[in-house]
Amino acid sequence: MRPEDLALLHVPGTVALRGDLLLTDVTHPDLEADAYRGSLWRIPHEGPPARFTYGDHDTAPRISPDGAWVAFLRASGGGKPQLHVMPTGGGEARPITDLPLGAGVPVWAPDSRRIAFVARVPEPGRYGTAEGVGAAAEAPRRITGFRYRGDGAGFVLDRPQVLYVVNALADIPQPVPLTDGRCDVEAPCWYDEHVLVSAPRDLDPDNLHTDLYAVPALGGEPVLAVRSAGSAVLPVTLSDDVFYLGAEFSGVHAVARNTGLYRATPWIGGEPVEGTRLTEEESVDCEQLPPVPVEDGVLVAVRVRGAVELRLVPHDSAGTSLEKLPVVLGERASVRAFASYGGRTVAVVSSPEHPGQVVAAASAPGRLPDSVGSGASVLADFCGPLAGTRPLRELTAVSRDGHPVHGWLAVPEGEGPHPVLLNVHGGPFHQHGWGFLDETQVYTAAGYAVVLPNPRGSAGYGQAHGQAVIGALGTVDAEDVLALLDAALAEPACDPERVGVMGGSYGGFMTSWLAAHHGARFQAAWSERAVNAWDSFVGSSDIGWFFAEAYCGPDPEAQRAMSPLYHADRITLPFAVVHSEEDWRCPVEQAQRMFVALRRNGVPAEFLLFPGEGHELTRSGRPRHRLQRFQAVLEWWSRHLSP
């Protein structure tokens, strides 16, 4: 895969299923327009997919319970996504909203007329709501809490996320706000004549705990319905029961917690209830995808040793461990979205060599050997085979203290030994794995072997594995990374004399840390959107006010000891500092401080700064910036890892 092949990545995002109607939204980067384009497609039982809509960028299809209507989001001419509705038999899409900051994903009511959604509502006079008043001329913001901005969203205190309900079939649809904006609400779900939403405890924006609140669909105060043990998100209903994803924690320790499936039966108007955890806390970690109730249980996506598997949680579960949950789809692959109706289950599944196909699961859950599996079938492939993609091979190693380490190696075509890139993922409670990663394919096509480690701190190996780095960043995780690198360098295809280290976010932290403490092992480093100094991260990051203490503890000296910036005097190798101007997760000051420290120490350092981008540049940034970043990466490594 070449950098310009980004334009070939036509990838399905979500799936909607009802009866014989199966819809998916397919999006691709348009390098010429520097935008993302996409439409809805209908996938029949037999024959090729057919285009269903023709907007600039149509996403999030949802079919009404009676099967007559499709609601979806359409962004036209670079504008904000607005809610549209059209008949399932085809026809012209009708706009339902015209909100200044756009609308969120639609959720149909059981009556197939009303739709719930959330949308950000600007304060009067802000964000273009006052004619002739630009952003620089607006009044100052009065900030009194921690959560006043978010990466990828910008300031949020003056544009809260509000719950709306609209009669989509009315002659003149009028969206009605049901919450007052005192805090953001998320993930609406119909429950009789109420809409359940996930919201911060006590409706306090700065509370890290989230509960489920019931909002009367005809208007009225939100009522606490389900009190969580830490968090409650993505509720779905089945009869009187509510299923949702959640994690258990207290205080600021809301990191590296396995997300499980819960069940509760709310009594609206009575005392709030507490949910029952259906999955074991240690072994089952659910991906943040909405659970789907089916006849025999509830389908959830679970992170397992680099895979994201679709598993069935039986209705009678209570703390059920991973090995007792049947696999429906996704071994050695990554499930990105799924839906089920009438005994039929479909999913978007990604593999190392393919960004995403729509597949149908076997009729009965069972252990499947690969991304499609025995009895399953590919229904639609909008991308087709990408030239030059390379498979992943699992690697295992033993760390210095005897801990097992797991990861992957991708090797280019042709005889080696090849120069090696050690690529560390972000998080740290995240994972490399069996899903498609465009970076791996671009680097192998350019002639580099790529090592992808999942050290302690990563997700998918049990909660204890993820929490092993709390208060110990740069210790066992660094040892694990180096152990897997050694296993890769023992392969004849890898050149131990030409090794570079790179990564983003936590991976950028690890790149900086390894450059300072094990720099002799590498020829150069590429550190991207990194955490370099926990002390300033506390006050500058949108999550720093709790995240730094949760991982490093409250002691400023301990935070400094775990900060690569304060070890920068030990770095001597060529070093690329890469960042985005509008990154509020790891703010740009993290890059600026590291760059200045390196240059003052005489290190051959360079600073690559992308305008207008946030923390997610490599995944969802402007297409041209993604292309330019790939070009810069390859140019950097061609200078420092050439024969």
Side-chain angles (χ1 to χ4, degrees), residues 542-605:
D542 63 337
I543 63 172
W545 58 279
F546 73 89
F547 193 87
E549 180 177 336
Y551 266 107
C552 302
D555 180 15
E557 290 306 313
Q559 293 180 5
R560 289 170 65 93
M562 284 181 263
S563 297
L565 177 68
Y566 297 106
H567 305 274
D569 58 331
R570 304 172 63 172
I571 297 176
T572 59
L573 73 170
F575 199 101
V577 178
V578 187
H579 225 91
S580 296
E581 283 186 352
E582 297 180 14
D583 187 337
W584 283 1
R585 182 56 43 84
C586 297
V588 70
E589 56 89 11
Q590 295 282 311
Q592 293 166 325
R593 296 181 72 192
M594 177 60 84
F595 174 69
V596 170
L598 294 173
R599 293 292 293 182
R600 291 184 68 181
N601 291 338
V603 175

Side-chain angles (χ1 to χ4, degrees), residues 426-447:
F429 199 53
H430 188 54
Q431 61 176 5
H432 276 314
W434 294 111
F436 182 83
L437 182 61
D438 55 2
E439 295 197 41
T440 298
Q441 299 302 339
V442 167
Y443 304 153
T444 54

Side-chain angles (χ1 to χ4, degrees), residues 303-316:
R303 298 193 284 191
V304 184
R305 293 181 61 82
V308 179
E309 300 174 348
L310 189 59
R311 298 231 178 184
L312 177 68
V313 181
H315 288 305
D316 59 357

Side-chain angles (χ1 to χ4, degrees), residues 455-482:
R456 271 170 280 188
S458 303
Y461 300 84
Q463 184 165 272
H465 184 273
Q467 294 179 350
V469 297
I470 291 177
L473 289 167
T475 61
V476 294
D477 49 348
E479 295 294 342
D480 289 358
V481 166
L482 293 175

Side-chain angles (χ1 to χ4, degrees), residues 96 168 176 197 216 238 244 246 263 269 301 430 517 532-533 548 550 580:
I96 302 300
V176 177
V197 293
L238 177 65
Y244 61 93
R263 179 179 60 209
H430 188 54
H517 295 85
N532 288 311
S580 296

Side-chain angles (χ1 to χ4, degrees), residues 368-456:
L368 308 179
D370 52 40
S371 61
V372 175
S374 174
S377 58
V378 175
L379 300 178
D381 183 349
F382 298 91
C383 188
L386 291 169
T389 55
R390 301 293 294 163
L392 296 182
R393 181 159 59 84
E394 285 185 273
L395 281 181
T396 58
V398 178
S399 198
R400 178 181 292 184
D401 62 0
H403 188 84
V405 188
H406 182 228
W408 291 265
L409 174 66
V411 178
E413 291 184 352
E415 294 186 8
H418 304 282
V420 177
L421 297 179
L422 172 63
N423 191 358
V424 185
H425 65 67
F429 199 53
H430 188 54
Q431 61 176 5
H432 276 314
W434 294 111
F436 182 83
L437 182 61
D438 55 2
E439 295 197 41
T440 298
Q441 299 302 339
V442 167
Y443 304 153
T444 54
Y448 300 94
V450 182
V451 182
L452 303 167
N454 277 346
R456 271 170 280 188

Side-chain angles (χ1 to χ4, degrees), residues 496-497 499 514-524 570-573:
E497 303 300 321
V499 183
L514 292 176
H517 295 85
H518 303 276
R521 302 198 55 166
F522 306 100
Q523 276 60 59
R570 304 172 63 172
I571 297 176
T572 59
L573 73 170

